[in-house]
Amino acid sequence: MFTSSSFVSVLLFSYAATGVSGFTVTTQTDVRVKENEATDLTCQYSADFGSNARLEWKFKDTKGSQVYVVYDGKLTQPYASRVTLFSGSNLRFSKVTRKDNGEYSCEVSNANNQFGESTVRLTVLVPPSPPLCRIPTTITTGKTAILSCYDADGSPPPTYQWYKDGTLLPTDPTSLAAFRNFTYKMNAASGKLEFPRASKMDSGQYFCEAVNNAGPAQRCKAVKMEVRDLNTGGIVAGVIVALLLVALLVFGIWYANKKGYLPSEFSALYLNPSIYPPVLINILILICE
């Protein structure tokens, strides 16, 4: 005969065999809502916690900082002005902002130390803004060129794509035959476009686009990047001009000393030929002649 005691024994055996606990907490998994709109975060827990269960909501932002939204069944500041607690365990935001992005954990416990927790991720949808782009205007052939692109407003965080002369660059240049001669490296998540050894074929007009699913893509202003060969003639000319200026300075000191404008101690120190390189001495002789 199947008695009530044997039924309880079966339940206990089933519990021990499966390891299933009756203390459960349930929330949504992912909530997405536009900025400045209202939304609810729900939390349900099993009756096993009893009528005096303790409820807390915690918020962890995208940087890892954590605060209480509900502590010991009561809303904390500054949430009390824009969040209500309804049906005992659910949160209702009258208006969300991008600062509300993050994870919300509903924690339930009782006097017997039974504990349950569930987490929901809240994503506040914010369209991207025109990104901040840093694009060098001139690069020497063979040097590394780094272009950067960043938008701090978009949520979820935007991905980035680069254009050259109005043509979209693939993230991996080896994926398309038309770009296999290109040597750039692109990180779509960070917005970085790098040319490890820039060549003249990399010259062109560049701009970046920030993209997410909250609104239309936004781009920065196009900037021309020109890759040039090293100007050795200009460097040589600069060195010659610098030497002439130094020589003129030395000549000025020499002339002032010759006219007796300088004390003898100064002359002995600064007009000693051994402290000047021969090329300056030769230039000085030419000027004096």
Side-chain angles (χ1 to χ4, degrees):
M1 182 177 179
F2 191 78
T3 63
S4 59
S5 60
S6 62
F7 178 72
V8 171
S9 298
V10 171
L11 287 178
L12 290 175
F13 174 79
S14 175
Y15 172 82
T18 61
V20 176
S21 172
F23 296 92
T24 59
V25 179
T26 305
T27 61
Q28 306 119 299
T29 303
D30 184 61
V31 173
R32 292 172 173 259
V33 60
K34 292 181 179 179
E35 189 172 33
N36 297 320
E37 291 189 356
T39 193
D40 292 346
L41 302 182
T42 61
C43 176
Q44 298 175 347
Y45 56 91
S46 61
D48 306 79
F49 286 100
S51 58
N52 294 320
R54 179 187 177 97
L55 176 81
E56 292 174 347
W57 276 94
K58 291 180 180 178
F59 167 59
K60 183 167 69 173
D61 65 19
T62 54
K63 296 180 180 179
S65 298
Q66 186 167 272
V67 296
Y68 281 101
V69 180
V70 174
Y71 181 76
D72 197 18
K74 297 179 181 179
L75 288 161
T76 63
Q77 294 294 339
Y79 293 97
S81 61
R82 61 189 184 93
V83 178
T84 55
L85 189 64
F86 70 98
S87 299
S89 59
N90 305 314
L91 298 179
R92 175 164 291 161
F93 287 78
S94 60
K95 182 172 67 173
V96 295
T97 71
R98 63 196 70 186
K99 293 182 179 180
D100 295 320
N101 268 313
E103 295 181 345
Y104 292 79
S105 297
C106 178
E107 300 178 354
V108 183
S109 60
N110 61 19
N112 296 323
N113 293 325
Q114 274 89 19
F115 177 83
E117 178 184 9
S118 185
T119 300
V120 53
R121 172 174 290 277
L122 175 63
T123 302
V124 180
L125 302 176
V126 182
S129 297
L132 173 64
C133 296
R134 290 187 172 89
I135 304 170
T137 54
T138 57
I139 290 292
T140 301
T141 303
K143 297 295 184 181
T144 299
I146 297 178
L147 290 66
S148 63
C149 179
Y150 179 69
D151 167 40
D153 294 326
S155 175
T159 57
Y160 303 95
Q161 49 195 28
W162 281 93
Y163 291 77
K164 177 191 175 187
D165 297 328
T167 300
L168 176 64
L169 297 177
T171 304
D172 179 8
T174 63
S175 63
L176 295 176
F179 294 89
R180 284 176 185 168
N181 291 329
F182 287 72
T183 59
Y184 64 80
K185 299 177 182 178
M186 186 189 304
N187 187 323
S190 68
K192 180 180 177 182
L193 176 62
E194 179 180 356
F195 298 88
R197 292 179 59 84
S199 64
K200 288 187 176 181
M201 68 176 295
D202 298 322
S203 295
Q205 292 269 358
Y206 288 87
F207 67 86
C208 168
E209 224 172 39
V211 182
N212 71 8
N213 57 10
Q218 297 289 334
R219 62 180 57 174
C220 63
K221 183 180 178 181
V223 175
K224 183 178 181 180
M225 184 180 79
E226 185 176 0
V227 182
R228 301 176 179 175
D229 292 330
L230 184 65
N231 186 4
T232 54
I235 294 175
V236 172
V239 171
I240 292 174
V241 170
L243 289 175
L244 286 173
L245 290 175
V246 173
L248 287 173
L249 175 63
V250 174
F251 173 75
I253 296 174
W254 172 83
Y255 184 81
N257 178 70
K258 183 177 180 180
K259 293 295 184 178
Y261 300 146
L262 299 177
S264 57
E265 296 84 358
F266 185 91
S267 303
L269 177 62
Y270 290 100
L271 296 179
N272 185 351
S274 63
I275 68 173
Y276 301 110
V279 64
L280 290 183
I281 299 299
N282 293 334
I283 293 174
L284 181 58
I285 292 173
L286 289 173
I287 295 174
C288 294
E289 291 178 349

